[in-house]
Amino acid sequence: MKLAFSTLGVPGMPVADVVRLAAGNGYQGVELRAHPEEPVHPGLTSLERAAVAEEFKRGGVEILTVAGYVRVAAEGEDGPVIAALAELVELARDLGAANVRVFPGGGDQDPAQADAIAARRLGAAAPHAADLGVRILLETHDSHRAGADVARVVGTVGHGQIGAIWDVMHTWLAGEEPVASHAVLAPHLGYVQVKDIASAEDTVPLALGAGTLPLKACLDTLDQDGWVCWEYEKRWYAGAADLPELLAAGREHILRLGAPKQ
């Protein structure tokens, strides 16, 4: 099992410090939050992108994903969304990242309409992603919280460069059992995002194992050679404990839960 953490847990941290933090705590990869308030975002120049890629290469840490904020099912014209997808894919290519993360963002639209919009845009973006060797992954989130919701869209696209991220909190909040989430997402699964919270009403991030999410049941469904990424949402909860002090214990917890059954 290969482990990563999201820089959502260390908002604004310089790239060199992120690399040291990952390497020093036994994480093989990092999910880079791509936002203008972060060190890495689509506005970087070619030289800046090369410097980021070199920093990770030198530290022996993989950039698993460029985590963008494109909402592929949002109302409006297709053009700007497809252009934003292309920007993220190009950033991922330049950084050496295998994946781009996107959100559904369908809002209050009829689900069938939101599905159709998302599938159309992802299908349009897929050839460019294939040319650059990057996979676009739709996360279980917001309007498409359950695995079945994301699987409908990705299955409709039917392209190998379009896949899914299983955020275990959102599928749990949707009332979907881990075995059901995995069953529908497995053909498309890029990797799994783990986290922990106290309850559906209290989503302040906790240390792994300190909350109520069925992490073991989720990890039990996975292949041993896949990626698991800890998405600790410190950016949205300033009062939460700092992630760096939790990383070592979090790694051990994931590995213990995900150990092969004897």
Side-chain angles (χ1 to χ4, degrees):
M1 187 173 290
K2 294 174 286 188
L3 304 186
F5 65 85
S6 167
T7 55
L8 189 65
V10 285
M13 180 176 282
V15 167
D17 294 341
V18 169
V19 173
R20 282 193 292 270
L21 193 62
N25 285 280
Y27 287 76
Q28 295 96 330
V30 170
E31 182 186 270
L32 281 178
R33 179 176 182 247
H35 190 280
E37 68 186 22
E38 297 290 345
V40 177
H41 53 81
L44 295 185
T45 66
S46 297
L47 287 176
E48 289 169 332
R49 295 174 186 214
V52 171
E54 178 58 30
E55 192 73 54
F56 274 89
K57 182 179 179 181
R58 187 163 55 243
V61 177
E62 186 171 337
I63 302 175
L64 173 61
T65 298
V66 170
Y69 287 85
V70 176
R71 287 165 169 77
V72 295
E75 294 183 275
E77 297 296 320
D78 287 356
V81 177
I82 294 169
L85 287 170
E87 284 188 341
L88 284 174
V89 166
E90 289 157 12
L91 176 61
R93 185 271 315 273
D94 293 345
L95 298 180
N99 305 299
V100 160
R101 187 282 307 278
V102 298
F103 286 144
D108 297 326
Q109 296 179 81
D110 175 76
Q113 180 177 341
D115 287 357
I117 292 171
R120 183 174 68 242
R121 291 166 175 171
L122 289 169
H128 185 52
D131 288 344
L132 300 190
V134 175
R135 199 169 187 214
I136 301 173
L137 303 178
L138 180 63
E139 185 176 322
T140 55
H141 198 274
D142 58 81
S143 62
H144 290 63
R145 178 164 269 178
D149 299 328
V150 164
R152 281 196 317 269
V153 173
V154 177
T156 298
V157 179
H159 194 290
Q161 294 305 114
I162 306 300
I165 294 174
W166 178 11
D167 181 322
V168 303
M169 182 184 76
H170 285 282
T171 55
W172 180 77
L173 290 172
E176 194 175 59
E177 292 294 326
V179 289
S181 299
H182 181 261
V184 293
L185 291 173
H188 319 290
L189 191 59
Y191 61 96
V192 175
Q193 284 181 345
V194 295
K195 58 189 69 172
D196 221 341
I197 56 173
S199 69
E201 294 73 35
D202 182 1
T203 55
V204 175
L206 299 175
L208 295 178
T212 59
L213 293 185
L215 299 181
K216 180 169 175 52
C218 294
L219 294 175
D220 278 349
T221 67
L222 304 180
D223 295 332
Q224 285 298 306
D225 58 353
W227 280 95
V228 174
C229 178
W230 185 5
E231 187 188 48
Y232 186 82
E233 298 184 335
K234 173 72 172 180
R235 173 62 183 84
W236 314 125
Y237 299 91
D242 291 335
L243 179 61
E245 63 195 36
L246 305 177
L247 280 173
R251 174 184 180 274
E252 294 307 312
H253 189 72
I254 296 170
L255 292 177
R256 185 166 58 250
L257 292 184
K261 296 177 182 178
Q262 300 299 319

